[in-house]
Amino acid sequence: MNFIDKLERKFGRFGVPDLMRYVIGINVAGMILNLVVPGFYYQYLSLDMYQIFHGQVWRLFTFILNPIYGTGTGVDLFVNLFWFAIWSLVYYSIGQSLERVWGTFRFTLFMFSGWLFIILVTLIYYLALLPFSSSHAVLSFAMALGVTLDYLYTSLFLAFALMFPDLEFLVYFIIPVKAKWLAVLYVLLGGYTVVNAFSGRDYFTVALVLGAALNVVMFAVFGRGKPGVKRTFRQGKRKAQFKKKVHDAERASETMHRCAICGRTEKDAPGLEFRYCSKCAGNYEYCSDHLFTHEHVR
């Protein structure tokens, strides 16, 4: 039993059912906020470690409001909103599929561990550069601008491709491409991003990409679980309810009467009558053919 199995046994009831619905809702809220009040997210909600260390701890949670596609004006804005709608539909379907395969707790753990990786990477990088920065606030805010959830959502697709490699997507609504080939493309682009960032000494981006990749690898190796392991609290509850229904059905199918002599029941002969003998010691029931002819039990 691996560590994810152990976590599920202890905390399986804390999984968030239909989590992807909330993730999409959070992204919609972030996009609307960015349209209504441009710049508000980066000023007050982003993962700015300097501000977090100065009391704005809510940023550890509100950074997931990171707006996606909610930029531009006119035609550009319309195009961005269109692609956001497509993104929402695709990733909602991906999240739902992974939740059905992994179970609610494991999918919840995957998403939360992805967010935690982003926080840890940002914190470690910020602390590592503190001695070399003359302006901690400027450094932290610049890093907050660079924090993106794109790598987390890419890792979500990669995890999906590992589970459903032959499922086809219509690229640009025309070209059918299997998930595994899109995953290969994502990996190549991620590798290019890492090499390019490393050559430019952008180790922060390198750490974000590798952290997201590590999350996928961790769940690819340990996340599938073993047969017989309880998948989620809800599934365990459904299993218990199913067993109760089966037990009730079995009880309903049991016979009410059985002759102590011939063993016949009301199912064997629906018109047959049964009576208990008052002279027998104990609860002995007999059919009408043996009620008066049997030997009394003393």
Side-chain angles (χ1 to χ4, degrees), residues 128-284:
L129 291 184
L130 276 181
F132 307 101
S133 174
S134 58
S135 176
H136 301 164
V138 172
L139 164 67
S140 180
F141 189 70
M143 290 173 57
L145 291 175
V147 172
T148 174
L149 298 176
D150 289 346
Y151 303 122
L152 173 60
Y153 298 130
T154 299
S155 70
L156 190 66
F157 175 79
L158 293 177
F160 175 84
L162 288 174
M163 301 301 299
F164 306 97
D166 294 320
L167 191 140
E168 290 187 344
F169 288 84
L170 290 179
V171 178
Y172 295 110
F173 309 102
I174 300 175
I175 307 171
V177 181
K178 290 185 176 181
K180 59 185 177 183
W181 301 123
L182 288 175
V184 170
L185 178 61
Y186 272 105
V187 170
L188 292 176
L189 291 175
Y192 172 78
T193 300
V194 169
V195 172
N196 194 44
F198 195 83
S199 62
R201 296 186 178 182
D202 182 8
Y203 303 120
F204 181 55
T205 299
V206 173
L208 287 176
V209 175
L210 295 182
L214 178 62
N215 200 30
V216 175
V217 172
M218 182 174 66
F219 275 82
V221 175
F222 301 111
R224 299 187 182 188
K226 298 179 180 179
V229 175
K230 187 175 72 172
R231 303 300 296 164
T232 65
F233 177 73
R234 286 197 308 162
Q235 288 175 338
K237 184 178 180 181
R238 288 197 299 266
K239 184 177 180 181
Q241 291 174 343
F242 175 76
K243 285 184 175 181
K244 184 178 183 301
K245 289 181 180 179
V246 171
H247 179 67
D248 292 343
E250 289 177 348
R251 289 191 62 185
S253 65
E254 291 176 357
T255 58
M256 298 294 294
H257 307 285
R258 181 181 296 275
C259 179
I261 300 299
C262 65
R264 287 185 297 176
T265 68
E266 74 275 12
K267 291 187 176 182
D268 298 321
L272 201 62
E273 293 185 358
F274 296 83
R275 296 288 187 274
Y276 285 97
C277 179
S278 60
K279 296 181 180 180
C280 289
N283 295 322
Y284 288 94

Side-chain angles (χ1 to χ4, degrees), residues 8-9 11-17 98-108 229-239:
E8 185 171 19
R9 284 187 178 277
F11 308 108
R13 64 184 180 278
F14 295 111
V16 182
L98 285 176
E99 183 175 347
R100 283 194 295 268
V101 173
W102 283 347
T104 299
F105 174 77
R106 289 170 190 259
F107 180 70
T108 302
V229 175
K230 187 175 72 172
R231 303 300 296 164
T232 65
F233 177 73
R234 286 197 308 162
Q235 288 175 338
K237 184 178 180 181
R238 288 197 299 266
K239 184 177 180 181

Side-chain angles (χ1 to χ4, degrees), residues 34 39-46 48 59 66-67 141 144-145:
N34 193 60
F40 183 85
Y41 168 83
Y42 296 104
Q43 288 291 338
Y44 301 104
L45 305 177
S46 62
D48 188 329
R59 291 174 179 265
N66 195 324
F141 189 70
L145 291 175

